[in-house]
Amino acid sequence: MPGHCNHPRTVHQAQLEPGDRVLIHTDGVTEARTATGQAFGEDQLVDFITRALAAGEPAPEALRRLIHTILDHHDGRLQDDATLVLAEWHPSPRPDPLVAQ
């Protein structure tokens, strides 16, 4: 696409376990800057998520707090698009073929 990087993409695979969370974000999250030019950065993003997980926060609450932290960092107004998706995997139990449905 015009204007986008033509860097090679890396595909990652992982086996998720029940309760695992996956965070997807655009660069507008980590590149959000303060008035003095300090970026939010990946280190701060990782630190925030690590602490939220350690505290046992539910995914919706962790995401809500992260959004507010990013907006506070940038004085309430982002200069770039910022997208966050936090998914938590809870598989449906498979029906037992030996039990009548």
Side-chain angles (χ1 to χ4, degrees):
M1 295 183 349
H4 286 83
C5 297
N6 290 324
H7 299 288
R9 302 289 185 237
T10 303
V11 176
H12 297 274
Q13 294 183 1
Q15 179 66 42
L16 297 178
E17 297 295 329
D20 281 353
R21 295 176 181 179
V22 177
L23 177 67
I24 302 167
H25 65 88
T26 60
D27 64 352
V29 172
T30 54
E31 294 175 359
R33 296 188 177 278
T34 62
T36 60
Q38 179 186 15
F40 187 75
E42 288 189 25
D43 289 343
Q44 189 168 344
L45 177 63
V46 169
D47 182 63
F48 183 95
I49 292 299
T50 300
R51 289 174 186 271
L53 291 173
E57 290 184 9
E61 177 62 13
L63 185 60
R64 184 192 72 75
R65 287 188 54 245
L66 177 56
I67 290 168
H68 284 279
T69 299
I70 293 165
L71 287 171
D72 288 348
H73 177 82
H74 200 14
D75 297 325
R77 297 201 59 180
L78 298 175
Q79 301 299 315
D80 190 5
D81 65 314
T83 302
L84 288 160
V85 176
L86 180 58
E88 186 171 29
W89 188 61
H90 294 282
S92 299
R94 291 184 177 179
D96 188 337
L98 301 176
V99 175
Q101 299 293 321

